[in-house]
Amino acid sequence: MSLALLAAGCASTAQVPDSLKPGASESLALVVPAKGDQIYECRASKWVFVAPEAELFDRAGKKIGRHYAGPHWESADGSKVAATVTARADAPAAGAIPWLLLSAKSVGTEGAFSKVTSIQRVATVGGVAPAGECSRAGAQARVAYTADYYFFTAK
């Protein structure tokens, strides 16, 4: 087996820190891969995170929704949740946005996402703010990222 295959195998089995695990009364309902951008804006010579903008997919690669400012996750069926960060941990991969645990609540119609109570953002690649200072206030930078969102519901 090549070193590349070994490394890939290790990357895909990274352990989620205990601080990012959902409550014992929750169970995994859905794994949602995402691909999009983290949007940053130049404020006082620094890049400041503004919002995510990503498409959400099922495990077969079919688009099932979107992720955007709020933060919100919205299913193609109209159900959506808003969430707040409750814990974060550095991503194991260099240059990747942090892993998160978020508390979620339904803010849309009944559907695929309406019963979601917690979301984990893991397996992140990319998305970190541009390096260095910025010089033009209000300028925006879009940085590509991917992540897996694990949606949990009450047992």
Side-chain angles (χ1 to χ4, degrees):
M1 183 177 279
S2 75
L3 274 171
L5 287 175
L6 284 172
C10 291
S12 65
T13 59
Q15 292 290 81
V16 174
D18 287 343
S19 63
L20 299 185
K21 292 186 178 169
S25 63
E26 296 174 293
S27 61
L28 181 62
L30 196 57
V31 177
V32 181
K35 181 179 182 179
D37 296 317
Q38 295 284 301
I39 304 168
Y40 297 90
E41 184 172 280
C42 182
R43 297 182 188 162
S45 299
K46 294 184 181 183
W47 290 109
V48 176
F49 176 71
V50 176
E53 191 173 281
E55 293 183 334
L56 305 174
F57 301 90
D58 65 15
R59 297 295 263 185
K62 178 184 170 203
K63 184 179 172 190
I64 61 164
R66 64 192 188 109
H67 173 43
Y68 55 92
H72 291 93
W73 288 260
E74 184 173 351
S75 172
D77 68 12
S79 62
K80 66 180 169 179
V81 292
T84 55
V85 175
T86 57
R88 74 178 62 232
D90 290 340
I97 53 177
W99 290 12
L100 303 174
L101 177 64
L102 303 104
S103 175
K105 67 176 182 169
S106 177
V107 293
T109 61
E110 188 72 22
F113 293 175
S114 61
K115 303 238 186 286
V116 173
T117 53
S118 291
I119 301 170
Q120 281 178 334
R121 180 178 76 189
V122 297
T124 56
V125 175
V128 296
E133 292 185 359
C134 54
S135 57
R136 192 169 56 96
Q140 287 198 340
R142 298 174 74 90
V143 182
Y145 89 103
T146 60
D148 287 340
Y149 291 100
Y150 284 62
F151 288 23
F152 294 86
T153 57
K155 286 184 182 175

